[in-house]
Each structure stands twice: as structure tokens, then as C-alpha cells.
Amino acid sequence: MWLTIVFVVLLHGYCYSYTAPSYTNETDPYLGLSPPVYPAPQAKGSSNQHWADAYSKARQLLSELTFEEKVNLTGGHVGRCVGNTAAVPRLGWEPMCLSDGPSGVRDFEFASGFPAGIHLGATFDKNLMYRYGKAVGEEYRDLGLKIALGPMGGPLGRIARGGRNWEGFSNDPYLSGAAMGRVTKGMQETGTIAVAKHWLGNEQEERRRAELGKGEAISSNIDDRTLHELYAFAFMDALREGAAAVMCSYQRLNNSYACQNSKLINGVLKEELGFEGMIMSDWNAVYAGVASANAGLDLNMPDAGWWGGNLTDAVNNGSVDAARLDDMVVRHLAAAFYVDLQAQKAGSIHRPRSQDQTPLVAVTTEHDALIREIGAAGTVLVKNKGDFLPLKNPRFLTIYGYDAESRPNPWGNNPGIFGGGPEENWAWNTYNGTLITGGGSGSTTPAYVISPFHAIVERMAAVQGTVRWNFISDNPGPPYPDADACLVFINAYASEKFDRVSLTDEFSDRLINNLAANFTNVVVIVHSAGIRVVDPWIENPNVTAVLFAGVPGQQAGNSIADILWGDVNPSGRLPYTVAKNESDYGELLNSTVSEGPFPQDNFTEGLYIDYRAFDRDNIEPRFEFGFGLSYTTFEYWIQNLMSEPAWTDHREYPNASRPVVQGGHPDLWDPVLSVRVGVGNTGTRAGYGVPQLYVSIPNAPKMQLRGFDRVGPLQPGFMRYETFYLTRRDLSIWDVEAQSWKLQNSQDYYIAVGASSRDLHDGTVFRPSMADQVLDKKQKSQAFVEARTGL
Ligand code: NOJ
């Protein structure tokens, strides 16, 4: 059905009318079907000089390997890590250790617990994303681990209650992509192979795998356009930055298991996106030997699975081409050579990937400081009545809630994926302590945790203040009316293996309501592995301030204290939409439950997840995507727009004569438009502005994020410019018929900047002749400069 909504945006004098998309995937003939794409493309090593050099080394080594050694390299082996590749001792080729996870080395001592992906996404800071990748990569390197099982771009976060959304950066593909790219770059510059996972469509935990007695895994049925514009989008950024490995996912995609899906691996990843590295399976995610080999899988994890001797037979009897086996191995070897070259170029120290190296300590004071910084930068202030925060030299504080302190877990302290120790499951319910990460393989096992209580007590002790607390009760007394503030810490846990059953919990809501009934200055801090609904208590006048403090890692306490005391001015932005009611997420609240042997999950919403759906349906969220307050205020405007040469050639599709490189067609990454954005601090404190640029692409969702950064610190009255470069990909839609990204040259693009997806301060229509508007913008900027700085 063709759905048309018309609305008018009046913004700085521009009239803009929006017609909701003509595209619906219900008529897609391929939805739920995965076309065969054979044979597997052989990697060329032609993307750039680094890949070429890596491939010449890899081919040389390949030529010295025996058939058995080659087969041996295609499967995992028992070793000190959750996954281990084969060695070739004869030739001095060392095994590679693969370790979880995306937010720091897990299950090793003396390793840091970094903030989880969703927390990094909330910083909206590209530089922090890069530094994060580098620091995580350094920890792998210093522990002799070659392969980091992250970053994570899927699940993207289609389902609000998805169990693993927090491991990724945002349910917006552009924000997620920016982080995927920068984290990959940072990691690999240390010589650590980044594994972009999970390829693709693992959007729920429910029946993610085949289960005995139940049947096959769920099939994520995704139409071609949505697959490109939403789910593969962020992976493109990681590939562009050279991701040397990818992990395929557990579930089926369009009814074919992701690790043996030829369209997904041979077609999209290797052919269309020019992937030069190796694709490994998720752990035991392979269901057939010959099919997975021919569909393009390169490495079977954690053991050889259906390969090993069977692969030997399959090559011998011709079911799998010998050239396919060579391609698996050369990709594997080249991946390692490639990151070594990247590290060499970046000047990173080299450490052997053996067990007996020293030091086996990865934590550093620099990493500690970075974790604290990101912990604060990813904290989102959503309510601050009467500028109550930052606290004004408090002398008496009360602290409530199970999330304030780290508490011993009665299950013991042995890390383990799901058994849980305190390192594993920081506070998954009212029983445990503060939440610094989520559960499962994306969790961390940090050397230590600084809890909020610890950090706050330190600050209060320094001024001989008083602190009273209760971490157990949901109705703690007495009320202490003389306290300067009542800080209440709650959390919302999520984990691999299961989806959430609620975006709230009754205990925490009761606790807040009871406190707000007795006290006027209640400050709520929510540590949450994903969305947490905060209605109706958010409207209680005694709930003075509310902070979404995410999953901030091992420096959780110091990070939140830095915000509460105002040492850091909050600049975090929500990387998802917080609804007023859980039901506002509609069909995208819960995972699909299906009892049948071939469960189906039709992604009929297409491109319309999270804010794209709220915008289409005109649902007012409690806090929109991109929202976040500061202790100061900002103005944002468009200074000017410039057509870059790639746009002025007016080509609708990428130039077919340029060869594809890793990351996709190279034209896709050419900037076609640059937008210079002004950011001015209109308040009274120094702080970071976070300009966000949204584009209304014709025949697509109303507004889509296509530029952002965290700018500052800016002193009051000062301004700065930031230039956003919009690439051909950023402005294109995936044309299903042409099987290519299409720039809609003859149509108007509406471009807006502002403080969030619903707080747009300035906008314009982009079309080839922009002269008048450019002039207009310059005048506006000048006026700000004159008013604020007296120039
Ligand atoms: C399964 C998870 O899905 C994946 O993300 C992880 O890297 C592996 N297990 C190894 O622990």
C-alpha cells in the first residue's frame, strides 16, 4: 500500500513539504528469498598499496603450505582464547588468539572494562571513537591477542527490547557507521585485527540459533533496499577503514543461514563491498560444510566444525574448488599482514602474539583516563529543572538505589560467559551492584570498578561533608530534608542470549516515586544497557534532574561524579529514541516469537525503525533521538553549502569504469556536498556543542542523520565552524533495479542542522544554484559574532 503523509516544516522562513516514501517492501519479490551467488569471488588485494603488499606476502606464504596445512588454517583450535587459529610452526607462523569482545579484552586479568558501544555512540564524538578503538586495540596487543571480536554493527537495534543492542553504537546507521569506522581504524593501527560483527540481520536473541526440538533459527527477512540502507550501512564504514575480518551471524537471513548465505557473503560482502579480508563464523553458526565453503566463509569457529577432514574430502572430490581453499587461506594470512602494515605505518610498537611475552598487563593510566572521559562524555542529561545541576558545593547528600555501589555477587567471582561473576554481570537486577556493561560475550572483566558511591564519598570526604545511604530498600527512610540532593541510582540490564522483557522495572520506579514523595531534589541516574522508559515519574516536579548514564565501564563512579559536580559539562546525546510508553515502539518493541520449525521475521517496516518510525507516525517521544541537555545553551546554523566536484558531474550512479575497492564503489565515498555549520555558545558556562545535520533524502524517511560532531569546549559567547562532508553514499538511496546507489540529482534535498532530530534550528533546500541562500547564511553568522563577541 502506498502511504502518504504530508506535513509542513516552517523553519527560518523555509517552507518544506514532505511526502512519505513511495517505497514499501511488501511488494518486493525477493523478500524472504536469498538468491544464489556463485562462485565465491577471489580476493585480489587491489584495494590499495597496503592490501597489495599484504597479498604479496600472503601469496608467498601460501605457496609454501601443504594441503593439510591449508585445511588446518580454515578451522579453529583449542588454545588460551575463546577462539584460536592454527599455527604453521614449520614456517614460523604463529597462531592468533581471538578474544571477546567489543568493549575491551574479556576473561583476562589486568585488562580494562571500557564503556560499551552504546555509551560510545552517545558521545557523538568522532575523535573519542577513534581513541577508544586505539586503546582497546592496545590492550589486545599488550596481552598478545591478535584478534578482537568487535566492533559490533549488528544488531543495529531494530527491536527496542533487543538483548544485544548495547554492544553496538546506535540504531541509527550513520552514527553506528561513524563509530564502526573510527573504532576499526584505531584498533588496527595497533596491529589488532578488528572483526566487524555480526553480518547480518541478527536483530533479536530469541531463536537466534537452531534449537533441538524446536527447529531452525529465525529468518530475518529483509528486503534489498533496507539491507543496504540500514543494516549493511555501518559495516561499509568499517570495511572502508580496512576491517580485516568480519563475523557472520547465527540466524538465517532470507531463509538461508548467514554463514552459508551466498548472496550475503559472495554477493554483498565480497563482490559489492570488495572485502579483502577473512569472514569467520560466529561460534558454531555453521550448518553445512560444502555450502558454507562455497558461499564464501573463510574460517570456521571455534573449531573446524563441518570442515576439517570433510573439507579435505570436498576439495579432493571437487565439491569445493581448490582455488576456494586457497582463497580462504590467503585472506586469512593477508588479514594479519595487512594490520601489521597498518600498525607499522601508524608507528605502533610490535609485540609477538605468543603466550610468554611480557608484559601481560594491558591497563594503563592513559586508558583509565580515557575510560573516565568517555564515561562522562556519553552521559546524557535529559532533565535539569531550574539548573539544579551541577551540584553547588554540596555538604550533605543522600544516596539510594542498588545501582550506586558494586556489591559482591553470591555466585562467586569466576568470569564465565553466562554463569556470571561480579565481573560478568554488574548488577543485572536489584541484587547486584552498579551496571557498567551488559551481559554475555560483549561483557567485560575489568581489573576493578570505581562505583558511584565510592567516587561520591571521596568527594564528600574531601569537604568533610555528610553522606547517608540505603541501597536495599525501595522505600528508604528517613527523608533527611536537610540534604542538598537525593541521588538515586537505578539500572536496566540486558544480555546476549535473551531479549529484554521490559524497558522499566517496578522496583526502581517505586523507589523513585517513594523518594519523590518525601523529597524535593531527587536526581535520578539511570545506568542502562539500552532504552529505559522513564514515564510517568519523569514529570514529577520533585524529580529535579535525570541523567542517562549508559553503560560507562570501570570508571563509572568518577565519570558520573565529574558530571554531577560540573567538572565536565554534559554533552552526551541519546543514540536512540526514548518513548513515553513502551507500546509506542509498536511492532518493534518485542522480538518475534514463533513456535514453528522455520520461524520467520519479516522486516516489513523497511527503513522505518526508531526515530524514522516515530517521525513517520507522528508519535511524540519522551526524548527524541539525538536529544541531550547541557549546563549551557547553544545555537546552531548553516553558514554555507558548497557543491563538491563529485556532485557537479551530475552522475546519478557511481562511475562503472572505476573498480570496486574494499568498502564499496570508491565514488560512494567522494564528498558531493559540504555544509559549513556554525556552533555558538549562548549560555553562561563553557561546554561542548553537538551540531547534528539531518537530511531529508527524497523517497526516504523524513529526516536522517548525516553529520554530527562534538565541538568544544566553547567558552560562553564564542562560536566555531564545523564542516560536514556529505558523500555520495550519504545522499543516495539503494536502487533495487539498478543494483546500485542512486543520487537523485533532479530532486530537492532538505538539509537541516540543530540540537537533535526534532530540534532543528536552521535548514535549507539543496539544489544546484544556491547563491542567494549562501549569502543569507553569511549574514546570520555575522550577526551572531557581533552580538556575542562584540566584534
Ligand atoms: C557468540 C557471540 O554471538 C559472538 O559475538 C562472540 O564473539 C562469540 N560467541 C565468541 O564468544
Side-chain angles (χ1 to χ4, degrees):
M1 207 186 91
W2 294 63
L3 175 67
T4 305
I5 304 168
V6 179
F7 68 89
V8 175
V9 178
L10 276 173
L11 201 60
H12 289 271
Y14 291 105
C15 255
Y16 169 67
S17 75
Y18 169 74
T19 307
S22 54
Y23 177 76
T24 157
N25 66 19
E26 280 161 25
T27 53
D28 187 329
Y30 296 110
L31 185 66
L33 299 174
S34 194
V37 180
Y38 299 102
Q42 291 187 18
K44 298 190 192 73
S46 56
S47 287
N48 55 38
Q49 194 53 47
H50 267 24
W51 277 115
D53 293 346
Y55 265 82
S56 75
K57 288 180 177 211
R59 286 196 184 106
Q60 173 59 38
L61 189 53
L62 179 79
S63 70
E64 296 172 43
L65 296 176
T66 64
F67 182 43
E68 288 69 29
E69 285 166 342
K70 288 180 192 174
V71 171
N72 205 28
L73 278 163
T74 64
H77 296 262
V78 175
R80 68 185 172 126
C81 287
V82 68
N84 307 272
T85 62
V88 189
R90 187 175 70 80
L91 300 172
W93 179 260
E94 291 178 301
M96 299 191 276
C97 229
L98 298 89
S99 187
D100 285 311
S103 52
V105 180
R106 163 195 162 70
D107 283 353
F108 279 76
E109 308 298 335
F110 300 103
S112 305
F114 286 82
I118 199 79
H119 199 94
L120 186 65
T123 67
F124 278 62
D125 185 325
K126 296 173 190 165
N127 189 254
L128 284 179
M129 291 168 179
Y130 168 74
R131 289 169 60 203
Y132 175 101
K134 190 154 177 293
V136 172
E138 281 167 357
E139 298 218 353
Y140 277 85
R141 178 196 66 197
D142 292 346
L143 291 171
L145 314 169
K146 189 65 185 167
I147 305 183
L149 297 173
M152 201 188 92
L156 183 67
R158 170 183 184 247
I159 299 298
R161 287 179 176 174
R164 297 187 79 175
N165 297 350
W166 56 276
E167 291 182 55
F169 306 101
S170 169
N171 50 30
D172 178 84
Y174 183 87
L175 178 54
S176 172
M180 286 290 280
R182 281 166 183 83
V183 170
T184 297
K185 180 173 157 62
M187 260 186 187
Q188 294 200 165
E189 282 180 0
T190 70
T192 299
I193 294 179
V195 181
K197 70 183 186 184
H198 307 85
W199 180 259
L200 196 71
N202 187 172
E203 292 296 322
Q204 65 175 49
E205 292 304 277
E206 165 76 18
R207 290 197 71 173
R208 66 174 178 162
R209 305 178 70 174
E211 283 172 55
L212 217 60
K214 273 195 170 174
E216 303 302 327
I218 193 100
S219 175
S220 297
N221 298 329
I222 311 180
D223 68 89
D224 194 31
R225 179 172 172 194
T226 303
L227 187 140
H228 283 83
E229 289 182 37
L230 272 193
Y231 297 103
F233 195 96
F235 285 85
M236 292 174 75
D237 292 87
L239 296 175
R240 168 82 179 155
E241 292 299 344
V246 166
M247 183 192 290
C248 50
S249 53
Y250 278 128
Q251 92 303 335
R252 295 179 300 146
L253 184 117
N254 292 335
N255 284 295
S256 167
Y257 275 103
C259 289
Q260 56 202 56
N261 185 317
S262 66
K263 167 71 180 168
L264 200 54
I265 305 177
N266 288 342
V268 184
L269 183 67
K270 291 186 172 174
E271 217 165 270
E272 191 187 309
L273 299 179
F275 181 52
E276 306 261 30
M278 63 168 157
I279 176 160
M280 67 184 70
S281 69
D282 199 340
W283 271 225
N284 302 305
V286 177
Y287 292 86
V290 169
S292 56
N294 287 336
L297 186 71
D298 301 312
L299 177 65
N300 216 318
M301 276 290 158
D303 50 33
W306 296 92
W307 290 1
N310 295 333
L311 186 59
T312 307
D313 291 348
V315 174
N316 282 332
N317 70 23
S319 314
V320 173
D321 210 324
R324 176 74 269 270
L325 174 64
D326 280 359
D327 186 55
M328 293 175 187
V329 177
V330 85
R331 286 171 177 275
H332 177 137
L333 303 174
F337 286 127
Y338 177 76
V339 293
D340 286 348
L341 288 169
Q342 259 191 318
Q344 212 179 322
K345 187 169 170 223
S348 170
I349 48 169
H350 179 75
R351 290 202 198 286
R353 42 182 200 256
S354 59
Q355 297 192 32
D356 51 1
Q357 62 162 303
T358 51
L360 280 174
V361 173
V363 284
T364 67
T365 47
E366 290 79 22
H367 294 177
D368 242 10
L370 179 65
I371 291 168
R372 179 172 180 165
E373 187 182 345
I374 297 174
T379 297
V380 189
L381 177 69
V382 294
K383 182 175 181 183
N384 194 18
K385 221 177 91 188
D387 290 336
F388 182 73
L389 291 179
L391 298 170
K392 321 281 181 299
N393 300 317
R395 299 299 312 281
F396 186 0
L397 292 177
T398 52
I399 307 177
Y400 301 108
Y402 53 87
D403 180 73
E405 182 57 306
S406 25
R407 292 201 282 145
N409 185 320
W411 289 328
N413 61 358
N414 296 320
I417 292 198
F418 302 105
E423 307 95 329
E424 179 69 33
N425 292 327
W426 290 99
W428 60 273
N429 57 21
T430 55
Y431 208 49
N432 297 298
T434 195
L435 186 80
I436 64 150
T437 186
S441 62
S443 181
T444 54
T445 47
Y448 62 84
V449 169
I450 304 286
S451 69
F453 182 65
H454 178 120
I456 292 167
V457 165
E458 247 182 26
R459 288 195 182 236
M460 294 302 281
V463 296
Q464 290 77 48
T466 290
V467 182
R468 294 280 181 265
W469 67 90
N470 182 328
F471 304 143
I472 308 284
S473 172
D474 62 1
N475 193 8
Y480 299 114
D482 294 338
D484 296 311
C486 159
L487 307 177
V488 49
F489 288 84
I490 64 165
N491 69 43
Y493 177 72
S495 173
E496 179 181 351
K497 271 207 165 174
F498 53 88
D499 299 306
R500 296 165 67 186
V501 291
S502 172
L503 300 178
T504 63
D505 75 273
E506 285 177 15
F507 180 96
S508 305
D509 289 351
R510 234 180 3 254
L511 171 65
I512 293 163
N513 287 330
N514 287 335
L515 289 169
N518 288 316
F519 199 82
T520 45
N521 285 322
V522 175
V523 176
V524 181
I525 296 104
V526 187
H527 284 123
S528 67
I531 299 168
R532 205 311 181 170
V533 165
V534 292
D535 274 82
W537 51 257
I538 188 79
E539 293 205 298
N540 186 318
N542 285 348
V543 173
T544 310
V546 178
L547 288 146
F548 273 74
V551 260
Q554 70 188 29
Q555 284 282 338
N558 285 327
S559 299
I560 195 68
D562 287 347
I563 295 280
L564 291 171
W565 265 260
D567 302 342
V568 175
N569 192 340
S571 62
R573 299 292 183 262
L574 290 172
Y576 43 67
T577 300
V578 176
K580 288 184 175 166
N581 306 297
E582 295 203 43
S583 56
D584 292 344
Y585 295 103
E587 295 287 301
L588 300 181
L589 175 64
N590 283 311
S591 39
T592 297
V593 178
S594 169
E595 298 305 326
F598 297 100
Q600 304 290 318
D601 188 5
N602 295 329
F603 288 30
T604 48
E605 75 289 345
L607 300 168
Y608 295 85
I609 66 168
D610 200 71
Y611 71 90
R612 290 161 171 82
F614 279 70
D615 286 354
R616 178 198 57 193
D617 299 340
N618 250 322
I619 300 172
E620 199 190 323
R622 169 54 62 196
F623 298 118
E624 72 273 17
F625 175 90
F627 177 76
L629 300 170
S630 163
Y631 297 153
T632 186
T633 49
F634 288 94
E635 183 166 354
Y636 305 100
W637 67 94
I638 295 174
Q639 163 75 356
N640 63 40
L641 285 84
M642 293 258 294
S643 295
E644 297 287 321
W647 172 277
T648 45
D649 75 5
H650 283 234
R651 205 187 280 278
E652 273 189 304
Y653 299 100
N655 180 350
S657 65
R658 279 179 94 184
V660 166
V661 294
Q662 176 159 320
H665 193 291
D667 283 8
L668 294 176
W669 303 95
D670 285 341
V672 298
L673 173 70
S674 57
V675 184
R676 204 158 138 83
V677 169
V679 187
N681 184 343
T682 52
T684 53
R685 289 177 78 100
Y688 291 88
V690 182
Q692 297 170 39
L693 187 147
Y694 292 84
V695 181
S696 180
I697 298 171
N699 305 308
K702 178 176 167 184
M703 280 291 176
Q704 305 198 70
L705 184 72
R706 286 296 186 261
F708 69 87
D709 214 350
R710 177 171 175 250
V711 178
L714 275 177
Q715 295 301 321
F718 280 74
M719 56 155 296
R720 200 182 283 177
Y721 293 118
E722 180 79 10
T723 303
F724 295 123
Y725 292 94
L726 301 174
T727 65
R728 176 176 280 272
R729 179 196 63 163
D730 297 341
L731 295 172
S732 292
I733 60 170
W734 176 254
D735 182 332
V736 175
E737 266 138 56
Q739 286 291 294
S740 182
W741 292 90
K742 179 184 181 184
L743 207 51
Q744 302 169 87
N745 278 341
S746 55
Q747 305 201 37
D748 282 351
Y749 285 69
Y750 182 74
I751 297 181
V753 299
S756 78
S757 61
R758 290 198 170 207
D759 184 9
L760 300 172
H761 296 196
D762 194 6
T764 187
V765 174
F766 173 64
R767 48 181 184 266
S769 115
M770 294 293 298
D772 296 345
Q773 290 167 31
V774 169
L775 188 65
D776 187 32
K777 297 299 167 191
K778 278 192 179 136
Q779 282 163 358
K780 182 172 163 49
S781 171
Q782 193 56 36
F784 181 89
V785 175
E786 280 163 14
R788 296 290 159 184
T789 63
L791 289 176

